[in-house]
């Protein structure tokens, strides 16, 4: 596919910048820290406006729909390296700050000073370019920071009319509340604390192995893949205590359209990235509907006798709806046909048993070459 060839070429160009970032991570890594935690308010929302019942044909405007998403998928809308940068900040903050404490940003943005690595390097944006193009790197980085500031995820204290406006930014809570960022506590049965006494609400969080960051996965996944991956991890944690039958329909979790729309703000395009996540080995994907068309397996054609899903639908989200494809109800006397026509969501399994995070660059290059 032309799109995958272009992605491979772009990743080959970025390899040096990503290697620089990973070298910096090894320098600041704390082996006693095994997980990075991200509060659920970044990934999931319970905004009543998203679930409200509306008259037929009426829906939120695009601006309202984006504004009511959780911060994670608001960033995806912009696609300006801001999600990669913020994930980098979560990692760096935990390496340098104890749980429950306020993170103080003393990193320069572009050029290394003393022992502090610049954010340009840490975020995998410090590419080898001619000096005449270095200004473009600064512009790219500043645009990413501005996108975070627009969502109230960082604070800017400089004069916007002067040079250095983006220097010394402060990291804010990932839920977009505007509060100063506290590194999530390891034990979420306890409230977060900072150096002064404070009464903060208890907040749940997901956790990612530090090896996910040390191997550069947050830098090579697209925004859509990264957002979907975090949603799967969150959904898995959310349902961890639900009794399981052992049947395929009970393995892992699903991300039905209603759940994606109401709580995650994930588009059909984003959800379709589950296929690439499975190819990369980050999740397992099991399909309860063996005759369904799979875009990641083009040799498998839809069964002529099954109306479970069309090729066009496979590229988006309709496979997760419970209605029949043509809107008609199946014949009550034909249970086989009824089962065939009912759409069942993919089962998404994380973590993958026995699999550890390896080099993100090598894995993606190999996958895209197949």
């Amino acid at each position: 596919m032309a799109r995958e060839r272009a992605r491979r070429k772009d990743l080959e160009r970025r390899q040096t910048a990503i290697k620089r970032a990973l070298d910096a991570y090894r320098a600041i890594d704390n082996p006693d820290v095994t997980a990075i935690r991200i509060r659920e308010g970044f990934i999931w929302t319970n905004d009543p406006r998203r679930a409200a019942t509306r008259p037929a044909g009426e829906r939120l405007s695009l601006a309202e729909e984006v504004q009511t998403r959780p911060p994670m998928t608001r960033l995806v809308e912009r696609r300006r390296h801001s999600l990669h940068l913020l994930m980098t900040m979560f990692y760096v903050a935990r390496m340098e700050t104890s749980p429950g404490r306020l993170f103080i940003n003393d990193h320069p943005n572009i050029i290394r000073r003393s022992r502090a690595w610049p954010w340009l390097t840490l975020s995998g944006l410090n590419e080898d370019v001619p000096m005449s193009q270095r200004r473009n790197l600064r512009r790219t980085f500043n645009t990413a920071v501005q996108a975070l500031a627009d969502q109230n995820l960082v604070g800017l204290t400089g004069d916007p009319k002067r040079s250095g406006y983006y220097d010394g930014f402060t990291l804010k809570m990932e839920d977009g509340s505007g509060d100063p960022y506290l590194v999530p506590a390891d034990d979420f049965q306890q409230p977060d604390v900072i150096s002064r006494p404070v009464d903060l609400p208890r907040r749940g969080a997901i956790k990612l192995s530090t090896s996910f960051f040390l191997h550069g996965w947050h830098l090579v996944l697209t925004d859509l893949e990264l957002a979907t991956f975090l949603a799967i991890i969150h959904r898995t944690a959310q349902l961890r205590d639900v009794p399981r039958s052992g049947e395929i329909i009970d393995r892992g979790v699903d991300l039905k359209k209603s759940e994606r729309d109401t709580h995650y703000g994930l588009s059909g395009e984003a959800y379709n990235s589950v296929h690439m996540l499975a190819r990369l080995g980050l999740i397992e994907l099991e399909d309860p509907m063996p005759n369904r068309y799979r875009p990641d397996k083009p040799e498998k054609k839809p069964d002529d006798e099954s109306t479970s899903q069309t090729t066009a639908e496979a590229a988006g989200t309709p496979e997760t709806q419970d209605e029949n494809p043509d809107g008609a109800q199946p014949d009550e006397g034909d249970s086989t046909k009824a089962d065939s026509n009912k759409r069942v969501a993919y089962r998404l399994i994380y973590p993958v048993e026995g699999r550890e995070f390896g080099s993100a660059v090598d894995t993606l290059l190999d996958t895209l070459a197949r």
Side-chain angles (χ1 to χ4, degrees):
M1 290 176 56
R3 182 179 297 180
E4 293 198 354
R5 288 195 297 271
R7 183 175 180 181
R8 180 182 172 87
K9 184 176 181 180
D10 180 68
L11 182 58
E12 289 171 341
R13 175 182 59 80
R14 296 175 54 220
Q15 276 191 90
T16 300
I18 293 172
K19 182 180 183 301
R20 288 189 177 122
L22 302 189
D23 288 344
Y25 297 169
R26 283 188 283 273
I28 66 174
D29 186 56
N30 180 349
D32 293 331
V33 178
T34 60
I36 305 300
R37 288 172 167 80
I38 303 172
R39 293 177 180 87
E40 79 167 1
F42 177 66
I43 302 166
W44 185 89
T45 183
N46 202 25
D47 192 313
R49 289 174 292 179
R50 300 191 68 84
T53 301
R54 293 180 177 79
E58 184 179 316
R59 61 179 62 188
L60 290 173
S61 68
L62 177 60
E64 289 174 321
E65 194 279 322
V66 171
Q67 190 57 39
T68 56
R69 294 178 190 174
M72 175 183 72
T73 38
R74 292 207 301 268
L75 292 178
V76 167
E77 184 71 15
R78 299 299 183 91
R79 304 190 191 184
R80 296 177 177 173
H81 301 284
S82 50
L83 184 55
H84 296 150
L85 176 57
L86 188 61
M87 292 291 288
T88 299
M89 292 177 186
F90 293 153
Y91 171 77
V92 172
R94 179 62 188 93
M95 289 301 118
E96 299 180 347
T97 311
S98 299
R101 303 287 174 175
L102 187 68
F103 171 63
I104 305 298
N105 173 26
D106 59 4
H107 290 266
N109 284 354
I110 307 299
I111 300 174
R112 186 175 182 181
R113 293 196 307 264
S114 184
R115 297 177 60 185
W117 292 89
W119 289 113
L120 184 73
T121 297
L122 292 165
S123 59
L125 294 174
N126 192 6
E127 299 181 21
D128 280 329
V129 296
M131 287 301 296
S132 59
Q133 296 180 24
R134 294 294 293 179
R135 179 174 294 182
N136 291 336
L137 293 184
R138 181 186 293 271
R139 183 180 298 113
T140 296
F141 177 82
N142 288 348
T143 299
V145 176
Q146 183 61 59
L148 295 177
D150 291 344
Q151 302 303 325
N152 210 18
L153 296 168
V154 301
L156 303 175
T157 59
D159 184 344
K161 297 181 180 180
R162 293 180 177 272
S163 172
Y165 172 52
Y166 295 100
D167 294 343
F169 59 82
T170 58
L171 183 58
K172 296 184 178 182
M173 292 291 262
E174 63 266 59
D175 61 4
S177 64
D179 295 332
Y181 181 78
L182 307 174
V183 173
D186 287 335
D187 180 359
F188 285 96
Q189 298 307 309
Q190 301 297 324
D192 292 326
V193 295
I194 56 176
S195 55
R196 67 186 193 284
V198 63
D199 181 21
L200 291 174
R202 298 180 179 185
R203 294 171 175 149
I206 66 163
K207 65 179 181 179
L208 268 172
S209 168
T210 52
S211 64
F212 177 84
F213 297 87
L214 288 169
H215 287 98
W217 284 100
H218 64 300
L219 301 178
V220 306
L221 294 178
T222 66
D223 282 359
L224 298 179
E225 291 162 356
L226 188 52
T228 302
F229 185 54
L230 294 179
I232 292 169
I233 296 174
H234 176 265
R235 185 75 171 148
T236 300
Q238 203 176 43
L239 300 178
R240 64 184 176 272
D241 295 328
V242 174
R244 305 285 180 162
S245 68
E247 300 293 328
I248 185 173
I249 198 66
D250 253 0
R251 292 202 63 198
V253 298
D254 60 32
L255 279 177
K256 294 180 180 178
K257 187 175 188 301
S258 58
E259 188 71 22
R260 299 196 312 269
D261 287 351
T262 302
H263 296 299
Y264 295 103
L266 284 172
S267 66
E269 182 186 5
Y271 178 66
N272 203 43
S273 68
V274 296
H275 299 290
M276 178 56 79
L277 294 175
R279 289 172 62 189
L280 293 172
L282 295 177
I283 64 169
E284 283 186 40
L285 186 152
E286 293 194 358
D287 192 349
M289 302 175 64
N291 291 326
R292 173 165 32 204
Y293 174 77
R294 288 274 298 276
D296 59 330
K297 295 185 177 181
E299 74 283 358
K300 186 173 183 179
K301 301 300 182 181
D303 189 326
D304 290 340
E305 296 183 359
S306 170
T307 57
S308 60
Q309 186 181 37
T310 66
T311 301
E313 289 169 339
T317 65
E319 80 280 6
T320 62
Q321 296 174 354
D322 293 330
E323 298 83 15
N324 293 327
D326 57 7
Q329 296 299 317
D331 186 340
E332 292 182 2
D334 189 350
S335 60
T336 301
K337 183 177 180 182
D339 288 342
S340 171
N341 284 351
K342 187 175 182 181
R343 300 170 186 173
V344 183
Y346 295 124
R347 304 308 298 180
L348 310 170
I349 302 165
Y350 175 86
V352 179
E353 186 175 354
R355 192 168 297 171
E356 298 181 357
F357 294 113
S359 167
V361 170
D362 292 346
T363 301
L364 183 54
L365 287 176
D366 180 60
T367 300
L368 294 175
R370 293 174 191 166

